[in-house]
Amino acid sequence: MKLSKKTYLLLLLFLGVAPLHAQYEGIDKDYFEFPLQPEKDSYLSGNMGELRSSHFHAGLDIKTEGKQGLEVLSAAEGYVSRIRVGTGGYGNCIYIQHPNGTSTVYAHLRNFNDVLAQYTLEEQYKRKSFSVNLFPKRGELIVKKGEIIGYSGNSGSSTGPHLHFEIRTPDQKVLDPLRIGFNQVKDNIPPALERIAVKTMDINARVNDQFGRFEFGLNHNNGETLDTDTILVNGKVGLELYAYDQLNGASNRNGVPIIDMFVNDQLYFSQNIDSIDFSLQKNILIHTNYQAARETRRRFNKLYIDDGNPLNFYVERQNKGFLNIKPGEIKHIRIEAEDAYGNHSTTQFVLKGTDLINCISDKINAQNEEYTLDNTLMLFRKRDSLNNKITVYNKQGSVVHEPAYYNDEHNVYLIDLRKTLPLEAVFEDGSKHEMHYSDRVPAASEHSFLAETYSLKFSKNTLFDTIYFRARHYVDEETKHDVFEISDDIYPLKGGIIAQLELLGEYDSLEQYQLYSVENPRYPSFAGGNIEDGKLNFTIYGFGKYTLLKDLEPPVVKKRSIQNDIISVIISDELSGINNFEARLNGEWLLMNYEPKLNLLWSEQLDKNKPLTGEFELKVTDNAGNESILKLNIE
């Protein structure tokens, strides 16, 4: 029986299953005031559920005209339940608890109002720390609706001045403020549907007679997105969508929260990102196509649910969104996208089932000798009129492979990594292609891999899905230092891989070396680790290339200015990065506020009426343990 989306939602209500938007019921849209210039129209640089590189964006990013210092207002009455100050994440941030059970969050602030600023300053001095995470007593810091609680800024991981604003449920799930209703933000622009991708989901599937993932552009026409082309398909495939939404008055490309896919007019897959659970944030790496994002810099929304995906905003998911198409079958696909204001866009196309063929007429993209897609390795080879077989060797023996398909120029061989971990392929002309797969690691289980000079440990929480990796340890001929490579960076990691490396390289003073990621050799990134008994212990959070480097240069520390009883200092470090700092004035601890984006420290005394005079000492330490000390006699 075919069900429309409306019929499906009515059936859920009849069965007593609340649709996702039910959590908004009972929240009066007039309960909250817009937190920034409520008398004016506002514009967004980010919306709820927007697909970021490592997380779903929670709440709204409200533009501040490129300026800092705009008044930030409490959206409703309540009390301050939490205050955070730090160099990353939300930076300077206020959390307010409201009588109706909800709470609101105001992040990336430049500074707090006088009461909150004094409370925070006193706690920083008690803890002798710039970074603090404070939980005032219930009712200790009362605020009224519309009261100024702080001023907009650019603190934390912000890349430009704005206010980040959230509304949370009692169980700390983030709601979409636009669905609650703020007329300061206008939007009559439908989502833009730019591209679709059709991806083969097993080794026997094909798209236009080939294995892989194939993108198709979409044409635009007055809010409707139309593409009448027919795509030939055989077997199990998944669809993906690259789309974005724009709001009035801003060019930013925001997220599309509601996406429905219909197959022959039957709702087949539906998502509604109307709330976000922080404990599941990292699962964006499996909600989107991680490999495609790495290769194309576009984040495609999967319209299917991979193994290991626990996200709960999928309303309908027949066969997990996967399509199995047999020869001769016709599937009329309709994808509908909707934003929080109900603006709507549609695209339609046809998937037509076709027979498997070996000899194809289309061009084969064979830019590299190999390509890995999930659990299938593709090998490309120029076609020979006589010799087209290859022999693939693994630790157990060898298997002869015929081309899975070919055209006049190239052969394509498909190797199922679930069945074999290939070491090398030998072609009939005697040439070889080395692969050296190391291991197959299943998800949600503990797993160890032991090689001659290194070991790897995977926890139950390291992986989303099974991976097939290649790793090697060698000594660089030029530097004589150890190098460890683990690939391929096509699988997202949920957690870290614990590694141990037996050091084989030559070092003048081993204790002075640390591990760095050198995936981009021009910009090494500190990766830490510790060396004990000639072995390096470290944790890998991303596939790539690592080596040992020595950082003997202490941080650069320069006085910038002294005025109005405030000293400001510029600090930087070329290689390992700043680890910590501490200042003292006449032997007493002195707070130094830190903005790493500007490499800037500036002092703040507990007693604002006390002159900044006497012996000033600032100690700055980098991640390699190098230390710089700035001493001044301030008169």
Side-chain angles (χ1 to χ4, degrees):
M1 180 177 67
K2 297 180 181 180
L3 296 177
S4 67
K5 182 178 180 182
K6 181 177 181 180
T7 303
Y8 176 76
L9 292 175
L10 288 173
L11 179 60
L12 285 179
L13 290 171
F14 176 76
L15 295 174
V17 180
L20 289 177
H21 64 262
Q23 57 198 319
Y24 289 83
E25 295 178 2
I27 299 179
D28 184 353
K29 68 181 181 64
D30 296 322
Y31 186 83
F32 296 104
E33 179 175 298
F34 200 69
L36 195 75
Q37 298 177 318
E39 73 283 358
K40 298 173 59 177
D41 285 348
S42 283
Y43 307 99
L44 302 184
S45 59
N47 71 338
M48 173 77 171
E50 183 180 325
L51 307 179
R52 300 287 175 89
S53 60
S54 61
H55 63 280
F56 297 94
H57 185 256
L60 304 180
D61 281 348
I62 306 169
K63 287 176 175 281
T64 57
E65 304 169 8
K67 300 183 296 188
Q68 300 190 46
L70 299 185
E71 295 176 349
V72 175
L73 313 178
S74 175
E77 66 173 337
Y79 66 91
V80 176
S81 59
R82 187 180 180 187
I83 300 172
R84 289 182 65 184
V85 175
T87 58
Y90 284 179
N92 300 326
C93 183
I94 297 171
Y95 299 71
I96 298 178
Q97 183 67 45
H98 304 292
N100 71 346
T102 64
S103 58
T104 49
V105 181
Y106 313 78
H108 306 306
L109 302 176
R110 185 189 68 185
N111 56 300
F112 307 138
N113 72 15
D114 290 345
V115 173
L116 300 183
Q118 184 62 31
Y119 174 89
T120 304
L121 183 63
E122 292 174 3
E123 293 298 323
Q124 288 173 308
Y125 269 87
K126 285 180 184 178
R127 293 164 169 75
K128 291 182 169 54
S129 174
F130 162 68
S131 297
V132 290
N133 189 13
L134 309 175
F135 297 88
K137 294 178 182 178
R138 181 184 180 94
E140 182 178 2
L141 299 170
I142 300 294
V143 294
K144 298 178 181 178
K145 182 176 182 177
E147 179 180 343
I148 299 171
I149 57 173
Y151 299 87
S152 66
N154 189 34
S155 60
S157 298
S158 170
T159 58
H162 71 281
L163 172 67
H164 177 86
F165 174 63
E166 297 175 10
I167 299 175
R168 298 186 181 183
T169 65
D171 60 353
Q172 292 300 296
K173 289 185 173 61
V174 184
L175 300 177
D176 186 349
L178 296 182
R179 302 201 199 190
I180 292 173
F182 289 108
N183 59 17
Q184 290 83 358
V185 179
K186 305 292 194 299
D187 180 17
N188 57 18
I189 304 171
L193 312 186
E194 287 277 307
R195 300 180 72 80
I196 60 163
V198 186
K199 178 185 173 187
T200 54
M201 301 308 302
D202 64 44
I203 199 168
N204 298 311
R206 299 289 185 271
V207 176
N208 286 341
D209 299 324
Q210 299 191 56
F211 177 87
R213 179 182 174 278
F214 301 89
E215 294 184 14
F216 303 87
L218 301 173
N219 302 317
H220 297 273
N221 181 21
N222 298 325
E224 290 291 309
T225 305
L226 306 171
D227 193 308
T228 57
D229 288 342
T230 295
I231 303 170
L232 303 179
V233 174
N234 181 290
K236 183 179 179 181
V237 298
L239 302 183
E240 300 169 1
L241 176 68
Y242 175 65
Y244 58 86
D245 188 43
Q246 292 180 304
L247 289 83
N248 294 13
S251 60
N252 302 76
R253 294 187 172 190
N254 300 314
V256 180
I258 301 172
I259 301 176
D260 299 323
M261 179 175 72
F262 295 83
V263 179
N264 294 338
D265 291 327
Q266 181 178 4
L267 184 63
Y268 200 81
F269 173 92
S270 180
Q271 73 169 47
N272 184 354
I273 306 178
D274 63 353
S275 70
I276 291 175
D277 186 335
F278 276 103
S279 67
L280 300 176
Q281 274 284 44
K282 201 162 187 179
N283 288 281
I284 190 168
L285 298 176
I286 196 168
H287 172 80
T288 58
N289 189 315
Y290 177 83
Q291 183 176 1
R294 298 280 298 176
E295 294 170 355
T296 69
R297 298 186 179 275
R298 293 189 182 102
R299 297 187 188 106
F300 276 79
N301 197 121
K302 294 177 182 176
L303 305 183
Y304 55 88
I305 303 169
D306 271 326
D307 292 340
N309 183 347
L311 293 168
N312 57 7
F313 46 62
Y314 305 112
V315 184
E316 171 71 346
R317 43 188 173 182
Q318 293 189 44
N319 197 32
K320 292 189 173 182
F322 297 112
L323 296 161
N324 288 286
I325 301 180
K326 300 175 182 178
E329 283 189 326
I330 300 292
K331 302 288 187 182
H332 294 274
I333 307 298
R334 186 173 80 255
I335 298 173
E336 299 182 356
E338 187 176 303
D339 62 26
Y341 285 82
N343 301 305
H344 185 271
S345 294
T346 301
T347 184
Q348 302 178 67
F349 53 94
V350 174
L351 299 181
K352 180 179 179 181
T354 185
D355 292 314
L356 283 177
I357 60 174
N358 298 112
C359 180
I360 69 173
S361 58
D362 288 350
K363 180 180 178 180
I364 292 173
N365 184 7
Q367 295 179 358
N368 300 307
E369 288 185 306
E370 67 169 68
Y371 184 82
T372 305
L373 186 69
D374 297 336
N375 52 31
T376 301
L377 173 66
M378 306 176 69
L379 295 180
F380 303 95
R381 180 75 170 175
K382 286 188 176 180
R383 185 160 180 81
D384 189 300
S385 59
L386 297 175
N387 303 314
N388 293 298
K389 295 180 181 180
I390 64 169
T391 303
V392 177
Y393 290 85
N394 57 29
K395 291 180 180 180
Q396 290 74 38
S398 63
V399 178
V400 175
H401 286 261
E402 298 272 3
Y405 56 90
Y406 57 88
N407 63 10
D408 291 339
E409 295 182 350
H410 290 94
N411 292 326
V412 179
Y413 305 88
L414 301 180
I415 300 173
D416 191 340
L417 297 175
R418 296 171 300 177
K419 298 179 180 179
T420 182
L421 294 175
L423 300 176
E424 69 174 5
V426 178
F427 301 93
E428 289 196 343
D429 63 2
S431 60
K432 298 180 180 180
H433 176 70
E434 295 185 350
M435 292 166 283
H436 296 295
Y437 274 86
S438 301
D439 201 5
R440 177 191 302 109
V441 185
S445 63
E446 295 182 353
H447 185 89
S448 296
F449 176 77
L450 180 63
E452 186 175 349
T453 60
Y454 68 90
S455 64
L456 302 172
K457 290 184 179 180
F458 299 79
S459 76
K460 293 180 180 179
N461 298 314
T462 299
L463 305 176
F464 291 101
D465 202 355
T466 300
I467 69 166
Y468 310 83
F469 75 88
R470 291 178 263 198
R472 65 180 185 134
H473 173 210
Y474 60 95
V475 176
D476 185 270
E477 293 182 0
E478 183 178 343
T479 65
K480 306 301 181 185
H481 295 169
D482 290 81
V483 177
F484 181 70
E485 295 181 359
I486 180 167
S487 60
D488 299 320
D489 192 11
I490 61 173
Y491 307 109
L493 293 179
K494 188 191 302 185
I497 304 170
I498 298 174
Q500 185 179 79
L501 201 67
E502 181 182 341
L503 297 177
L504 307 175
E506 299 175 10
Y507 304 93
D508 49 1
S509 182
L510 188 57
E511 68 274 7
Q512 294 179 333
Y513 285 81
Q514 290 85 31
L515 186 70
Y516 290 80
S517 169
V518 288
E519 194 67 16
N520 184 343
R522 292 182 59 189
Y523 303 101
S525 175
F526 182 78
N530 65 83
I531 299 172
E532 187 176 348
D533 298 329
K535 295 181 179 179
L536 173 68
N537 299 287
F538 60 102
T539 302
I540 299 169
Y541 293 100
F543 294 97
K545 183 177 181 180
Y546 297 84
T547 193
L548 290 169
L549 299 175
K550 180 165 60 174
D551 178 7
L552 295 180
E553 293 295 322
V556 175
V557 182
K558 295 181 180 179
K559 182 191 79 172
R560 182 172 179 261
S561 66
I562 302 176
Q563 56 185 7
N564 301 323
D565 291 320
I566 296 173
I567 180 171
S568 60
V569 180
I570 299 295
I571 64 172
S572 62
D573 190 74
E574 186 175 349
L575 185 56
S576 63
I578 301 295
N579 181 280
N580 62 74
F581 54 86
E582 184 178 74
R584 292 186 176 273
L585 182 66
N586 300 319
E588 301 273 331
W589 187 85
L590 177 67
L591 172 65
M592 298 297 287
N593 295 295
Y594 184 30
E595 177 47 82
K597 291 189 287 292
L598 301 174
N599 297 323
L600 182 64
L601 294 173
W602 67 97
S603 66
E604 186 173 1
Q605 296 190 87
L606 183 59
D607 183 353
K608 297 290 196 304
N609 298 316
K610 189 175 181 180
L612 187 77
T613 58
E615 297 295 326
F616 172 82
E617 179 178 298
L618 172 65
K619 184 186 297 182
V620 182
T621 308
D622 66 16
N623 284 308
N626 302 305
E627 185 178 275
S628 291
I629 298 178
L630 174 66
K631 293 184 177 181
L632 298 171
N633 184 20
I634 304 175
E635 298 180 351

